Amino acid sequence: MKTAQQWKACYLEPAFQAQYTYQGKDLGAACSGKGTSFLLWSPFADKITLNLYRDGGEGEPFLQQPMAREEKGVWAFRTEKNLHGIYYDYEIRIDGETKRTADPYAKACGINGRRSMAVDLSLTNPIGWEEDHAPEQPAERIIYEVHVKEFSWDPAGGFPSEYRGKYKAFLCEDTTLNAEGKHPTGIPYLKELGVTHIQLMPVFDYGSVDEAGDPADFNWGYDPVNYNVPEGSYATDAARGEVRIREMKEMIQSLHKNGFRVIMDVVYNHTYSLDSWLQRTVPWYYYRLHEDGSVSNGSACGNDIASERPMCASYLFNSVLYWAEEYHIDGFRFDLMGLLDTDLMNRIRTALDLRFGRGEKLVYGEPWAAGKTAMDPGFTQALKANFGKLPPDIGMFCDNTRDVIKGAALKPEEPGFINGRPGLEEEILDSVSAWCGGKAIPVKAPSQILNYVSAHDNQTLYDKLASTLEKGADIRKACRLAAGIYMTCQGSLFFLSGEEFARTKNGLDNTYDAPVSLNRLDWTKSLQERGLVEYYKGLIALRKQLPGLCDKSPNAVQRISGRWNKPGAVGFFVDNRAEGRSCRWETLCIVYNSKSTPERLTLPRGTWELLADGESSFLWKSPVRADANIAAAPGSILILGKTAADEKNCPADLFSGR
């Protein structure tokens, strides 16, 4: 039998690539009224048998059908019968060894993904699916990260018991807090909050939760099994392959109807197990190996997908297009995008633009890896340092902004600007202009930057501040300052569900398999922390009215002027005008004060209105004229807007005491 190194050497031969790179998009099971086809790419198989089953879990096959070898390493079986709802797997003999495998190209599956299912996708569409479409592009991208089970698990959320933790919870449009009937939860709450995009944590079929087990079993889902199949534990019936498809489509349809665009968290950098369907069909083709034959583990999850190899690249590329076309997904968040290659990312971006219109689908990801990876020679990782090789319409989570605001995510005890670490003022100001023009990150435009201070991994914002602020400090006040900073930086905005009501995970920073009782959204806190929620709502609503901050163009940095800083405080002006659009405030003045004392300033001539401060983010609704001499309160943000254009530029020595 060949060693892993021998397999790798074979795949890197130009002759192999020329002989076995299949260009078709029809791999997998295609099922319609015209018949059913099964196509599998396995170039070194000696024999493949297709097994057909009535059941997706147990039982023997009712038919075992030898498959025929065709060109480019593809094996096929075709029939005029519509086999919708029939389950299948393959027996493959390679290099003298026979293995049973599900279909890596499957679009439906049975319980726990062990058997694939032939599906006529037209029969899975909910009523009105053909008319489903995303809402219009919003004035700003405000992305809210949600886990399907976390969203509706809390009984206090008012969701029907049979929908708790399920896709169908997103169809409920009248949920309220059980303890307070007038307080919205779920979809009504998100509409009031004002977010524009819902980023769903993994909803493809993953391996760490038993779909036939305890409904309370929990995992984040970053362990792919079937890349093109929805996760079954979120469906009301995981045993029927078509149900999970229909219910996921219903969820997306509901989110669209309620004004949200939908982003899918995709994990194309590794699989749940090295013994995957990919590995069983083409040994060692889809995985990276070091020179000594050891498995590359830049994901820290046991393996790295070889995105640079032609058939692997096509597999991932077609998967993205499939979710966008079949499920109407509006954007993709790439987990550990730094493990993928820039060629693939550029190819995906170009294809989405050609198919749906430039920028219609969002593409962004984590521009890092968990460790070194053994990428084949001649390719470049999509790391932060290599972002110059990606177009402006591929974005990244900006850990620079995150860490300078609140402290390093990987160092729980390290503070940032808002919790007392000195010397970060210039970096805070670089965050304001999305790091454009600086040397820290090769950024082309604010469109490449996602500003955030919390996500599903690492500590929640509340927990980070609780562990770094002095005892007795006002944590919620610091939360308001953190939100005020990243929501007034150029770039797109992102935050973890529940950040706005002081979500806590008791200080734990990696709760991927912790009980759902810890991970679930505690809807009672959305009422208990109503003041903080209102502060977020006001910032979000204000942000949508500020074109100077919403500008994603390469020239947006030119809107920022009059930057200044002193220990613990910074300030700047923003040109808030927009061509062809009347703006209530032509110039903004923004101050971040992390000190324990006020920061006083003298405003230039003109009519200035107070839009937000550390206590209220809704001052702009009934603006009060600001005094020429004003102060940013301790540990607070101050946002002012000038209502009439000034003949002269704002003076560089505007602020007192300098």
Side-chain angles (χ1 to χ4, degrees), residues 538-593:
L539 286 175
I540 290 169
L542 176 59
R543 171 67 178 228
K544 295 174 181 178
Q545 303 175 63
L546 305 180
L549 296 176
C550 296
D551 190 348
K552 303 291 185 289
S553 73
N555 295 325
V557 65
Q558 298 174 14
R559 291 178 174 271
I560 308 299
S561 64
R563 290 175 34 155
W564 64 271
N565 74 83
K566 60 176 66 172
V570 304
F572 56 95
F573 290 98
V574 182
D575 179 350
N576 197 48
R577 294 171 296 179
E579 185 176 352
R581 173 181 167 187
S582 61
C583 298
R584 184 166 165 180
W585 308 287
E586 294 188 356
T587 305
L588 306 175
C589 174
I590 301 176
V591 180
Y592 309 146
N593 180 20

Side-chain angles (χ1 to χ4, degrees), residues 257-477:
K257 185 180 72 169
N258 282 283
F260 305 106
R261 290 186 166 229
V262 182
I263 296 168
M264 184 176 180
D265 192 337
V266 288
V267 187
Y268 292 125
N269 62 82
H270 71 276
T271 55
Y272 175 52
S273 167
L274 186 59
D275 185 24
S276 65
W277 316 142
L278 295 168
Q279 179 76 337
R280 293 185 188 188
T281 53
V282 194
W284 297 111
Y285 181 82
Y286 294 96
Y287 295 96
R288 294 178 184 147
L289 294 168
H290 293 291
E291 291 298 323
D292 62 0
S294 61
V295 179
S296 179
N297 189 24
S299 68
C301 295
N303 57 78
D304 298 340
I305 289 288
S307 65
E308 65 274 20
R309 295 185 186 157
M311 287 299 292
C312 187
S314 292
Y315 179 79
L316 304 182
F317 172 87
N318 289 329
S319 178
V320 171
L321 268 292
Y322 172 70
W323 287 109
E325 292 171 348
E326 183 64 33
Y327 286 84
H328 304 177
I329 294 292
D330 305 304
F332 298 88
R333 177 266 190 196
F334 287 79
D335 183 70
L336 293 185
M337 186 172 66
L339 285 176
L340 306 179
D341 60 281
T342 55
D343 289 358
L344 174 61
M345 294 307 304
N346 285 328
R347 182 181 169 195
I348 288 171
R349 176 74 272 173
T350 298
L352 290 172
D353 286 347
L354 289 173
R355 172 67 179 82
F356 300 100
R358 183 173 179 182
E360 179 62 22
K361 304 293 186 183
L362 285 181
V363 175
Y364 59 89
E366 294 178 302
W368 51 74
K372 292 183 179 180
T373 189
M375 186 175 283
D376 291 345
F379 293 87
T380 303
Q381 291 177 243
L383 295 165
K384 181 166 57 176
N386 300 325
F387 246 64
K389 295 189 176 184
L390 297 174
D393 289 337
I394 293 181
M396 65 170 144
F397 286 91
C398 191
D399 55 331
N400 297 64
T401 298
R402 176 197 69 193
D403 291 352
V404 73
I405 292 175
K406 68 179 180 68
L410 299 180
K411 298 178 181 179
E413 303 303 321
E414 180 180 287
F417 175 78
I418 66 171
N419 36 0
R421 186 179 173 189
L424 299 177
E425 291 78 16
E426 279 296 328
E427 291 179 69
I428 286 288
L429 289 169
D430 287 342
S431 300
V432 169
S433 55
W435 303 87
C436 293
K439 297 181 180 179
I441 317 174
V443 179
K444 297 176 180 177
S447 55
Q448 289 187 294
I449 293 294
L450 263 72
N451 298 305
Y452 75 113
V453 291
S454 74
H456 65 272
D457 47 9
N458 309 127
Q459 291 175 302
T460 68
L461 175 61
Y462 180 89
D463 288 345
K464 173 69 174 183
L465 295 176
S467 67
T468 52
L469 287 169
E470 294 182 0
K471 187 176 181 179
D474 188 338
I475 299 176
R476 287 156 187 82
K477 184 177 182 180

